[in-house]
Amino acid sequence: MRRSAIAVGCCAALSAALTSCSAPATTDPGTAARASKTGYLTESDTSLTGSGPLTVQLDYDTVEAGGLDPQTAATARSWSIESLVYEPLVTIGPKFDVQPLLASSWKQPSATTYVFTLRPGVKFSNGRAVTPADVVGSLQRLLKSKAAYAAQLGPVTSVTASGPAEVTVRLAKPYTPFLAALANTPAAVLPMKEIDSGALDPAKEMLGTGPFVVKDHKQDQYWNFARNTGYRDAGNVHVSELKIEIVPQETARLAALRSGSAGLVNFNNVDSVGQLKGTGKAEVVGQTNSDFYYLIQNSKNAASPLADEKVRFALNSALDREEIASVALGGQAEPTGVTPSVLPGACDPKTLPAASAKAPDTAALKKAGTLRLAVYTSEPAVGQIAQVIQQQLGRAGVTVKIQKYDDTTYTSKVFGAKPDFDLALGWYAGYVDASMVSRWWNPVLAGFSSTFLTDDKTLDALIDRAGTEPAGTARTKTLAELCARVDTGAQMLPLVSRPTVIGYRTDKVSPTLRAAEGYGNVLRDIVRYTLPDAK
């Protein structure tokens, strides 16, 4: 959830004066108006009838220890690439509404029961029809696994085939994000007959119902996909061959877009917008994500001043998130609480206790002393945020030493069995329901955070209540209380949203791109892309 690679864009701004970067806005007024109305930054030109190859360049590849198995996928990039092959029962619409996918419909006869009717005629790419047994087996396999995403499905008690094209899921208690959680790649329907028989190892081979099949893949270099001719809507998929090139260097992806050797690329450096200005046939849009950067304050080290909540809260109060967004991310990010600011029902970060504090507790700040801040070097934006935090806390009298690590060392230092850090920066996918990501603040549910988060039973209860209450005024109030508790406890601090910039060539592709994305899927809606007619 935390890994990405972008080129340095605003390092020059990180001077003692904290001069703000001046990246231009990623959307013009017309685009902004369209996004507000439809949920899309741009929609494919349906008058284009071409069919052919498309080359996409991304900054990094799937990075899962569990290989290609979608159920063990814990990073947004894996979800994105694997979604080309795998599909869940439901999907997310442009305004975060849940829509049918492999399920043609569903009903909810009670607050804890969901009955899904399967879409007729759906087949895996080997030609076998999808059955209720595949759905039941897939969800049961995920729930029994130790995969982190299994916690997002909530209190499922049973999954059964209740008819020849029907599956029923029962929960122990109401869980509002259930459908939203089902709409991500880890909850995809797998070919359980082949998996159970041993004919398919999903860690090494992908077999799904989606629009593409894998031709070949070389880790950290490229993927080659071909259109799945057995896909239920294959005739309307214009991209016949999809090549994904893994290009970590931002400058190289910029050059590919300029030259036309790539039709679509992703950027995390907001300065890319300005650098592409004036490039003919290149369009660039900024996508708002529910993803956000966070700062961990390791409370589990009893000898550290960070074991004291007053010290942690004082440090939180000394942070200026508006300045972080402006300086480190060129003004293309916004402050957020633990409920991602882009999602319905999210709390207002300006009302949180630290933001409302008149001044940090100077006595508590004096206890902080010198703190080590761990960052990983594969995403320069993280380093830029670290420098802003270093200067902000420095103004408050706290010395911060930034320690830079490669991804492997960072993971060991922060998420290993014996964490070795005081502060650490990273980012989470924010998902599509305002309460979902908050589950990572419960170390018992999350597992991976148990080595640096002290369990807060009051916070756990708020997380649970936010998950069970139906959408409405009461839930919005609970979410606000949840945000405030996270902010006061100050163990893992949401900072600012994590923006994405997408560039494309109008002579290569007419994409459909959403204004906001919850699961980090830069390839969402690729089945709607249209291509220019062959000349």
Side-chain angles (χ1 to χ4, degrees), residues 471-489:
T473 303
R475 189 180 197 231
T476 299
K477 182 179 179 181
T478 297
L479 290 169
E481 292 177 21
L482 168 57
C483 285
R485 186 72 183 187
V486 166
D487 191 69
T488 302

Side-chain angles (χ1 to χ4, degrees), residues 190-480:
L190 307 182
M192 292 308 300
K193 179 180 178 180
E194 288 78 1
I195 292 173
D196 289 342
S197 70
L200 175 74
D201 181 353
K204 298 179 179 179
E205 183 180 358
M206 293 200 290
L207 173 63
T209 61
F212 294 94
V213 295
V214 179
K215 292 172 61 178
D216 63 315
H217 169 224
K218 191 166 185 179
Q219 183 65 34
D220 298 323
Q221 293 192 32
Y222 64 81
W223 289 82
N224 284 317
F225 292 89
R227 182 168 50 204
N228 175 8
T229 57
Y231 180 62
R232 57 190 176 277
D233 198 26
N236 290 318
V237 178
H238 292 249
V239 178
S240 60
E241 295 181 355
L242 175 65
K243 183 168 188 177
I244 298 177
E245 297 175 341
I246 307 302
V247 182
Q249 301 81 14
E250 183 99 344
T251 54
R253 298 198 305 281
L254 280 164
L257 198 63
R258 287 195 184 103
S259 69
S261 59
L264 185 142
V265 301
N266 84 304
F267 302 112
N268 287 307
N269 178 8
V270 295
D271 281 356
S272 300
V273 181
Q275 294 177 42
L276 284 166
K277 191 174 183 179
T279 301
K281 299 180 180 178
E283 295 286 343
V284 188
V285 294
Q287 189 177 66
T288 302
N289 290 326
S290 63
D291 306 347
F292 59 81
Y293 293 103
Y294 61 80
L295 177 68
I296 301 171
Q297 301 198 98
N298 185 0
S299 67
K300 292 293 282 284
N301 181 357
S304 168
L306 298 178
D308 185 343
E309 182 178 304
K310 290 183 179 180
V311 174
R312 297 195 306 271
F313 183 74
L315 292 167
N316 185 18
S317 301
L319 297 177
D320 183 341
R321 287 163 173 78
E322 292 282 358
E323 189 175 62
I324 293 171
S326 175
V327 174
L329 297 166
Q332 300 303 320
E334 60 184 30
T336 185
V338 72
T339 57
S341 56
V342 70
L343 297 180
C347 63
D348 182 354
K350 294 180 181 179
T351 66
L352 294 178
S356 304
K358 293 182 179 180
D361 182 339
T362 54
L365 287 173
K366 287 180 180 179
K367 296 179 181 179
T370 298
L371 300 173
R372 301 165 298 153
L373 172 54
V375 301
Y376 50 94
T377 56
S378 62
E379 183 170 353
V382 172
Q384 293 160 202
I385 293 171
Q387 290 181 57
V388 178
I389 289 174
Q390 182 185 52
Q391 295 200 24
Q392 289 180 350
L393 295 183
R395 292 198 297 263
V398 179
T399 300
V400 173
K401 293 185 176 180
I402 299 173
Q403 298 181 328
K404 299 179 181 180
Y405 302 110
D406 60 74
D407 284 5
T408 301
T409 305
Y410 173 92
T411 299
S412 175
K413 292 276 187 180
V414 176
F415 297 103
K418 296 181 179 180
D420 182 19
F421 73 97
D422 298 318
L423 309 172
L425 279 167
W427 66 272
Y428 284 133
Y431 308 124
V432 296
D433 179 273
S435 73
M436 287 178 70
V437 72
S438 70
R439 294 173 78 80
W440 301 150
W441 270 253
N442 180 334
V444 177
L445 282 176
F448 67 85
S449 58
S450 62
T451 56
F452 53 78
L453 288 186
T454 301
D455 192 20
D456 178 346
K457 297 301 182 184
T458 300
L459 178 59
D460 294 347
L462 286 168
I463 293 169
D464 185 66
R465 194 187 343 151
T468 58
E469 288 181 331
T473 303
R475 189 180 197 231
T476 299
K477 182 179 179 181
T478 297
L479 290 169

Side-chain angles (χ1 to χ4, degrees), residues 35-228:
S36 177
K37 182 178 180 180
T38 68
Y40 292 101
L41 295 168
T42 182
E43 294 187 76
S44 301
D45 182 351
T46 56
S47 70
L48 300 179
T49 59
S51 178
L54 175 65
T55 297
V56 172
Q57 288 192 353
L58 302 177
D59 50 356
Y60 68 95
D61 203 352
T62 56
V63 288
E64 305 301 337
L68 303 178
D69 189 335
Q71 294 189 341
T72 63
T75 65
R77 182 53 44 80
S78 297
W79 302 339
S80 181
I81 291 176
E82 292 169 3
S83 73
L84 297 168
V85 173
Y86 292 111
E87 298 175 301
L89 288 172
V90 294
T91 189
I92 295 297
K95 294 189 174 182
F96 297 111
D97 53 316
V98 179
Q99 298 180 350
L101 192 57
L102 292 190
S104 60
S105 64
W106 66 88
K107 56 187 177 181
Q108 193 175 354
S110 74
T112 57
T113 304
Y114 296 80
V115 182
F116 298 92
T117 299
L118 303 188
R119 187 181 298 277
V122 176
K123 297 180 179 180
F124 294 106
S125 59
N126 65 357
R128 184 175 68 80
V130 172
T131 68
D134 292 305
V135 179
V136 171
S138 297
L139 293 179
Q140 288 179 340
R141 181 176 182 267
L142 175 58
L143 291 165
K144 291 176 182 177
S145 74
K146 295 182 179 180
Y149 197 81
Q152 293 294 348
L153 293 188
V156 176
T157 57
S158 68
V159 185
T160 59
S162 48
E166 188 178 273
V167 171
T168 298
V169 181
R170 290 184 172 84
L171 312 180
K173 59 184 178 182
Y175 182 60
T176 303
F178 176 65
L179 289 173
L182 278 185
N184 197 15
T185 309
V189 176
L190 307 182
M192 292 308 300
K193 179 180 178 180
E194 288 78 1
I195 292 173
D196 289 342
S197 70
L200 175 74
D201 181 353
K204 298 179 179 179
E205 183 180 358
M206 293 200 290
L207 173 63
T209 61
F212 294 94
V213 295
V214 179
K215 292 172 61 178
D216 63 315
H217 169 224
K218 191 166 185 179
Q219 183 65 34
D220 298 323
Q221 293 192 32
Y222 64 81
W223 289 82
N224 284 317
F225 292 89
R227 182 168 50 204
N228 175 8

Side-chain angles (χ1 to χ4, degrees), residues 465-516:
R465 194 187 343 151
T468 58
E469 288 181 331
T473 303
R475 189 180 197 231
T476 299
K477 182 179 179 181
T478 297
L479 290 169
E481 292 177 21
L482 168 57
C483 285
R485 186 72 183 187
V486 166
D487 191 69
T488 302
Q491 296 192 73
M492 189 158 57
L493 300 172
L495 295 173
V496 296
S497 60
R498 183 175 180 269
T500 292
V501 177
I502 300 172
Y504 62 94
R505 295 274 307 199
T506 57
D507 58 342
K508 299 289 184 180
V509 63
S510 177
T512 293
L513 300 172
R514 300 189 180 193

